[in-house]
Amino acid sequence: MEERIAELRRLAEREISAAPSLDALERLRIKLFGRKGGAFTELTKSVATLPVEARPLNGRLLNEAKNSVTNLLETRHRELSRALATGPTAPQIDTTFPGRRPHIGRRHPLTLTMDLLCDVFLRMGFQVRQGPEIETDYHNFEALNMPPDHPARDMQDTFYIADDKVLRTHTSPVQIRTMLAERPPIQMIAPGRVFRRDSDLSHSPVFHQVEGLMADRGIHMGHLKGILQRFVEDVFGTGLALRFRPSFFPFVEPGAEGDMQCVACRGAGCGVCGGSGWVEILGAGMVHPRVFENVGYDPKKITGFAFGIGVERIAMLLHNVGNIRLFYENDMRFLEQF
Ligand code: PHE
């Protein structure tokens, strides 16, 4: 019996050291330790049939042999695995193969448009001012010459947070904040988010405006027209006219809405402009004397103009987008086109 154990141990050690592959090693393991017919398994059974006095010695020898062989199996397994990962049969890495491209993010089309508008006005000498999105009734309405019974305050249009707090319905309150904090000359723009209870193909409850204000001695309507005409040229290229239609905003007098010639048909009339050849892009006017009084400026000395441009409208015209909601749905197929 002792001889058989020693013999099996030598044989196992020789074969394990020579095992050429992980597969061969696994077959060997089964041959030695398999539950049915494994050489060590069978030998263990034979030890149990020996006379009682012969069992302890042979049992100890057999255990030593099993432990040693098991260790050797593990060592050989490690060797073969390492050789597989690094040796000549290791999977080849082609270092010239183009890698997988990381997904690069980009700016949102509205951000791009906003940045473009800001650039255009910064180049004309405007400075950026900002204000809060939750506004007081005073800054959003009252100081802008909208008394408490004015229709623009109707619950239909305004999101009220409290009796005297609203989500700003336009960027015009930034005019008020700037004039309260600074003295003329003032030449500012205020880009930002605004909120109204309104939603269809061209209106969203959250949208963006760029407000403009210029206040100093001697500012007149000609300055307003010149600057806005220049803005249309810088954004859309030359050759598109800007026209003013008389309109009413409580904080300007006179007030106007600005239409530009349709980008799609250049004035001929098409689906984008509803056949008229013109699209409305802004509200504007000369700052109302009462607004100047509200911020402590002397309207006999200081005059100024203000305008508010709809950023979504500009982005839709620039990129021929027919539905404003595409800007907010964050569908990658849409966003990746910019
Ligand atoms: N605040 C106005 C609006 O949101 C636009 C505007 C700005 C009109 C400045 C005149 C002057 O409709």
Side-chain angles (χ1 to χ4, degrees):
M1 191 59 166
E2 290 164 43
E3 193 42 46
R4 277 173 66 198
I5 295 173
E7 173 68 19
L8 178 57
R9 178 172 176 170
R10 272 195 301 280
L11 180 76
E13 284 172 355
R14 201 176 327 120
E15 288 193 12
I16 290 171
S17 305
S21 67
L22 285 172
D23 277 351
L25 194 65
E26 175 62 8
R27 279 194 298 275
L28 206 50
R29 190 187 66 75
I30 293 167
K31 197 173 114 190
L32 293 171
F33 293 104
R35 265 213 260 160
K36 275 197 210 127
F40 278 107
T41 318
E42 295 305 315
L43 212 50
T44 309
K45 285 180 196 159
S46 328
V47 170
T49 66
L50 289 176
V52 183
E53 65 280 8
R55 284 184 211 166
L57 171 68
N58 285 293
R60 188 166 50 74
L61 287 175
L62 184 61
N63 272 337
E64 277 171 17
K66 280 198 217 168
N67 287 340
S68 149
V69 169
T70 306
N71 282 339
L72 197 63
L73 270 174
E74 281 168 13
T75 308
R76 185 65 184 150
H77 193 277
R78 266 197 300 278
E79 276 172 19
L80 286 171
S81 306
R82 201 174 311 134
L84 255 192
T86 57
T89 59
Q92 294 296 301
I93 294 171
D94 180 355
T95 53
T96 66
F97 198 75
R100 251 183 240 153
R101 278 171 178 278
H103 196 88
I104 304 285
R106 60 191 84 194
R107 283 181 295 170
H108 190 277
L110 284 180
T111 309
L112 288 170
T113 308
M114 197 87 119
D115 290 353
L116 171 68
L117 302 197
C118 288
D119 278 354
V120 164
F121 285 110
L122 290 181
R123 262 181 273 144
M124 289 193 268
F126 287 76
Q127 295 186 344
V128 174
R129 295 288 181 272
Q130 287 187 304
E133 291 176 349
I134 298 175
E135 261 300 4
T136 65
D137 180 279
Y138 178 77
H139 292 92
N140 195 80
F141 292 127
E142 188 102 40
L144 287 162
N145 198 27
M146 271 184 266
D149 55 357
H150 194 277
R153 294 170 160 234
D154 196 297
M155 288 292 288
Q156 291 301 313
D157 300 319
T158 308
F159 289 108
Y160 279 87
I161 297 225
D163 278 350
D164 61 343
K165 290 262 193 305
V166 300
L167 294 182
R168 66 178 178 191
T169 57
H170 51 181
T171 40
S172 300
V174 187
Q175 291 181 32
I176 300 298
R177 288 181 177 276
T178 306
M179 288 193 284
L180 285 172
E182 301 174 28
R183 311 301 305 169
I186 285 179
Q187 193 181 357
M188 58 138 256
I189 51 168
R193 277 205 293 190
V194 300
F195 309 84
R196 284 185 205 175
R197 299 183 51 162
D198 205 354
S199 183
D200 61 33
L201 277 189
S202 56
H203 295 88
S204 154
V206 183
F207 59 106
H208 299 76
Q209 290 184 332
V210 173
E211 188 83 8
L213 170 72
M214 198 162 170
D216 199 0
R217 289 170 189 263
I219 300 292
H220 55 74
M221 195 100 180
H223 296 125
L224 173 62
K225 278 209 79 169
I227 284 200
L228 289 178
Q229 180 65 57
R230 174 65 183 278
F231 151 76
V232 170
E233 268 170 35
D234 282 0
V235 173
F236 292 98
T238 48
L240 292 170
L242 175 71
R243 77 174 181 190
F244 279 5
R245 257 180 308 108
S247 183
F248 178 76
F249 301 96
F251 37 94
V252 288
E253 181 57 38
E257 278 171 322
D259 306 332
M260 62 176 285
Q261 261 176 336
C262 178
V263 192
C265 63
R266 302 191 80 81
C270 69
V272 174
C273 55
S276 73
W278 297 91
V279 281
E280 185 193 322
I281 54 168
L282 55 89
M286 300 305 293
V287 177
H288 197 291
R290 213 168 296 151
V291 172
F292 281 143
E293 279 165 11
N294 290 340
V295 297
Y297 290 6
D298 180 354
K300 287 194 205 71
K301 291 183 188 147
I302 300 298
T303 54
F305 66 75
F307 58 82
I309 299 171
V311 177
E312 277 77 355
R313 191 60 70 82
I314 302 290
M316 289 169 85
L317 291 170
L318 265 178
H319 304 292
N320 196 17
V321 174
N323 181 349
I324 197 170
R325 265 170 239 152
L326 288 168
F327 290 123
Y328 309 109
E329 283 167 354
N330 287 332
D331 184 330
M332 291 303 282
R333 291 168 300 179
F334 174 72
L335 295 181
E336 280 179 341
Q337 297 178 55
F338 297 91

